Amino acid sequence: MTDHTYRVTEIVGSSTEGIDQAIRNGIDRASQTLHNLDWFEVTQVRGHIENGQIEHYQVGLKVGFRLD
């Protein structure tokens, strides 16, 4: 494995389907702008409740990408 230097940024992914989909939505969107994505870390999980039902999920993510 070669030595790499990373930049870390924080994003929030969201979904009405669940936590996994919120993570995937966040990573999918970040990959449209950021290049060399290598890893992520879930830092927060939260949601929105309406009428006693979970309506929306949000996940805070730290995303690491290699610098050129």
Side-chain angles (χ1 to χ4, degrees):
M1 180 174 179
T2 59
D3 295 330
H4 296 295
T5 301
Y6 294 90
R7 172 99 190 225
V8 177
T9 191
E10 293 188 55
I11 63 172
V12 175
S14 63
S15 173
T16 58
E17 298 174 26
I19 294 169
D20 182 67
Q21 192 59 48
I23 293 168
R24 292 178 186 282
N25 289 347
I27 298 299
D28 286 346
R29 177 60 183 91
S31 69
Q32 294 174 21
T33 304
L34 303 173
H35 304 287
N36 301 320
L37 291 175
D38 270 359
W39 58 268
F40 72 92
E41 173 186 353
V42 176
T43 59
Q44 300 175 5
V45 177
R46 61 183 166 267
H48 179 72
I49 299 170
E50 283 187 26
N51 300 320
Q53 299 292 318
I54 298 172
E55 292 295 319
H56 205 88
Y57 299 85
Q58 288 184 332
V59 292
L61 302 165
K62 286 186 179 180
V63 180
F65 56 97
R66 281 178 281 117
L67 298 178
D68 291 332

